[in-house]
Each structure stands twice: as C-alpha cells, then as structure tokens.
Amino acid sequence: EAWAAAAPGLVVRADGAYASMSFPANATDGSHHGESYRLCHSAPVADKIMRETVGEALGYAPIVSFDQEMGGSANFPGYNTSHGHPPGRGAWEWEGYQRTLEAVRDDAKDRGIEAALMQEQSSELAMPYLGATWTRQFWQVASQGAYFDAVGLDAVNVGTFAYLYHEFSLGLAAAQFQGQGEQSQPDGSGEPYELRSHVIMSAVARGLMPTPFANDVNRSDYDEWHARVAESNAAANKVWAAWPEFLVFGTTVAPPRVRGPVLETYEMLDATTRRNLSLPAVLVGSFRHSAESASGAATVSTLILNARYDAVEISVELPWDASRITWRDGATRDVVGAWPAGARGAKYSLPPLGAVVIEAAGVAAL
C-alpha cells in the first residue's frame, strides 16, 4: 500500500528504472538491508508524502531535520515526464524542495505548532524556511579536503558560508568535527586531541553552535583523548552560552588583526602517512550587534579563543573607532580590563582554552 502510494512520485532514471540505492549485506549475518528509493523534489505526490510525514513528526518533536537534500547524496536526475519538470538535472530539483519546505512550515503555523526545520548543508533557497543548518564547511586539514596553505600556515579554510550567512541561519558545528582530530585507533591512525580542540574553537569563533558527538565528551573511565576533548568542548560551550546577542543574533564583520602563537600538531592522511601542521592557536571572530537606530552606531564584539592547553600571549590591533572598549571574560562576561586610552593596539594573556571578548561600543556603521 505504501509502495503504491509513493511510486508515482519516485525518481525515474533515463532507462526507465526507479533510481535506488542498494544497502550492503550485513557483515555479521549476511542479511540484506534493502533498497532506498528517492522521492522527486518536483512531484506533487512526493510533496504530499513529505508534508504528511514531517507534519506527523512535528507533533512529537520541536525540530525535524532533512538529511542531505541539497548536495551530498542529493544526486538524482529525474526522467519521469509526469512530474512537470525537464528531464535530467536542473533548478527544478531545488525549487521543488523549496516549495515543500514552505508548505511544511505553513502547515505547522496553521496547526499552531512552534517548531523549526533543519537540514544538513544549506543554500539561499532553503534558508528562509529553516531554523538551523547542520553545516558541512571549511575543513581544516588536507585529509578532509582542505588543499591550500595561507600566510605560511597549513590548510586554514576561511568558512565563507558562515561569514556571509551567519545572521540568516543558525549553524551547527557537528559535521566539522568528524575526521579531524579523531581519537586513536587500533591501527595507530588517530590524531592528537590538540587538533580537535583547534577545530572546536574555530567553529565557535565563526558563530557555529558547538554540537559535539556524545562519544567524544565522556569524562569518566575514558582515555586522555576523551578527557582533553571534553575540556575543550566544555570551554567552547561556556562561551557559546554566554554571548547569544552576537553568536546567535549578530552580523559577522571582518575581525581585527590578532597576532599569537601557532599550534604545532599533525594529521593522518591515511593509516601510515603523517602530515605535520602549523595552525593558528588563536581563533577570532567579530560580530556587529545592538545597533542604535538613530545614529547607526553599534557594538562590535570580537571573540578570541585559545585552542591550546597552555596560556598564550596575543596582541590585537582594532581597525575601528569606538566610544568605549572593554575586555570581558569569554565564559563569565566579567570585565577583565579596559582598552588603553587612545591606543590602536593592546596585548592580553589568554589562559589555557580561555576566551576573551573585546566589546567595542559606539562603532559607526561598517
């Protein structure tokens, strides 16, 4: 019955067969896990099924996530002529998905359900209808797809998506952690916890919500890798919780120049090939918020995080004028100092896994 209802909305290949993915046999008992068929983003029948399915789920949970509907595994040119789109690939794939998101959201509003939609990866088409995105962006190391060096440092991707769209979409950092600083494996292919700490702190600096996997943050009865990664995750979450006005609701702006030490670590390109890395030990992000409607002036908060497990010294050069500049502890919001009067630059000592916020009030429109 379910198959009969869904079949008219399934993706059809050029040869007339249904597009499907065969899951491998179970390694233990040899059983087959079945076939996965794909609903066409543009088919009215598929849209109806998704609206009903997600609508039911929203009755039980406040957030529903779509997995790789755009990019990733979403690779399904369709040739069913009854679906109302040109054959093959095309904008119709994403435009149909956009219509489904809009309809699901409107259905929830009509039912008085306060809920959010989320998806893995994102785009400008989807963001107006999403409460969050499970971002997959700016891998830090070559084994995960970062192929260039910058200013003498290794594979420092810039995170363009988070920078451009931070104020439009809450991003989760979970996928960024995968494959970077992985715990030691029996074959010796693991990477140091320092690399994972760098990735965690770089995510928060770009305004991504820390979302570690549960098996990464256990403290008791685990090895040193887990204990140290748990420390870094705890430090990052304290910072995230302390500053919602800009980490969630702020607008990203170009950060000031911050000089600090590097983090010497390594990655494993495969089980036996080690690549040494020199990465920034200090991660930085700046956000404009609390704008005054009359003057256009706003507060610009610069978050600086130490990814290392020892204290580091930093120097900062601010590019803008402000009526008041204050140093605040990144985790507690406590005032920890004032900017030197009339100075463009200043120095600060960051504790292990520590963070500081430079709060510049009264900054003219940028």
Side-chain angles (χ1 to χ4, degrees), residues 337-356:
W339 192 268
R344 280 291 183 190
K347 295 182 178 181
Y348 191 80
S349 178
L350 277 171
L353 301 178
V356 67

Side-chain angles (χ1 to χ4, degrees), residues 205-276:
R206 290 172 170 89
L208 298 181
M209 179 179 174
T211 40
F213 295 94
N215 61 307
D216 285 353
V217 295
N218 295 293
R219 281 184 176 274
S220 60
D221 301 324
Y222 276 78
D223 55 28
E224 183 184 20
W225 187 95
H226 283 94
R228 302 313 293 270
V229 168
E231 289 180 50
S232 184
N233 273 310
N237 277 276
K238 288 177 182 177
V239 172
W240 175 264
W243 301 98
E245 66 265 40
F246 65 83
L247 286 178
V248 178
F249 299 110
T251 300
T252 46
V253 297
R257 182 182 296 276
V258 178
R259 291 184 172 88
V262 298
L263 172 66
E264 300 293 347
T265 182
Y266 65 88
E267 64 171 323
M268 299 300 296
L269 300 180
D270 54 44
T272 60
T273 307
R274 171 169 162 167
R275 178 180 183 241
N276 292 328

Side-chain angles (χ1 to χ4, degrees), residues 51-345:
R51 290 175 65 175
E52 292 174 349
T53 302
V54 177
E56 181 180 358
L58 288 175
Y60 302 99
I63 186 166
V64 170
S65 179
F66 295 83
D67 185 65
Q68 295 191 20
E69 290 293 335
M70 308 183 80
S73 295
N75 179 22
F76 35 75
Y79 295 86
N80 188 324
T81 57
S82 71
H83 291 174
H85 62 74
R89 304 299 300 264
W92 62 266
E93 299 170 72
W94 323 125
E95 291 165 353
Y97 175 57
Q98 181 188 40
R99 290 192 295 271
T100 298
L101 288 176
E102 184 176 20
V104 167
R105 188 194 63 173
D106 290 346
D107 290 347
K109 286 182 177 180
D110 292 343
R111 294 164 59 193
I113 296 176
E114 185 174 346
L117 302 178
M118 184 180 83
Q119 78 171 42
E120 183 175 5
Q121 304 170 321
S122 190
S123 78
E124 289 180 336
L125 283 175
M127 277 190 295
Y129 311 102
L130 300 176
T133 54
W134 189 35
T135 60
R136 285 188 169 277
Q137 56 182 308
F138 52 87
W139 297 109
Q140 311 295 120
V141 295
S143 64
Q144 297 298 317
Y147 295 115
F148 61 91
D149 296 343
V151 295
L153 297 173
D154 297 305
V156 185
N157 282 343
V158 295
T160 304
F161 187 91
Y163 182 79
L164 292 177
Y165 297 111
H166 176 265
E167 62 266 37
F168 300 106
S169 178
L170 173 64
L172 310 185
Q176 189 185 358
F177 302 160
Q178 291 176 304
Q180 301 184 102
E182 289 291 338
Q183 67 199 68
S184 296
Q185 304 298 320
D187 64 1
S189 62
E191 295 167 334
Y193 55 78
E194 291 90 346
L195 178 56
R196 176 62 65 89
S197 179
H198 174 271
V199 174
I200 291 169
M201 296 302 183
S202 69
V204 178
R206 290 172 170 89
L208 298 181
M209 179 179 174
T211 40
F213 295 94
N215 61 307
D216 285 353
V217 295
N218 295 293
R219 281 184 176 274
S220 60
D221 301 324
Y222 276 78
D223 55 28
E224 183 184 20
W225 187 95
H226 283 94
R228 302 313 293 270
V229 168
E231 289 180 50
S232 184
N233 273 310
N237 277 276
K238 288 177 182 177
V239 172
W240 175 264
W243 301 98
E245 66 265 40
F246 65 83
L247 286 178
V248 178
F249 299 110
T251 300
T252 46
V253 297
R257 182 182 296 276
V258 178
R259 291 184 172 88
V262 298
L263 172 66
E264 300 293 347
T265 182
Y266 65 88
E267 64 171 323
M268 299 300 296
L269 300 180
D270 54 44
T272 60
T273 307
R274 171 169 162 167
R275 178 180 183 241
N276 292 328
L277 298 170
S278 293
L279 299 171
V282 176
L283 290 309
V284 186
S286 291
F287 305 83
R288 185 175 183 269
H289 59 101
S290 306
E292 300 173 5
S293 57
S295 65
T299 297
V300 175
S301 292
T302 297
L303 173 62
I304 307 174
L305 302 109
N306 177 16
R308 287 185 12 174
Y309 291 80
D310 59 348
V312 299
E313 300 293 325
I314 61 171
S315 62
V316 186
E317 298 176 20
L318 290 186
W320 46 73
D321 295 317
S323 60
R324 184 184 71 256
I325 304 175
T326 307
W327 296 86
R328 293 185 179 272
D329 183 276
T332 67
R333 300 180 66 109
D334 293 339
V335 175
V336 293
W339 192 268
R344 280 291 183 190

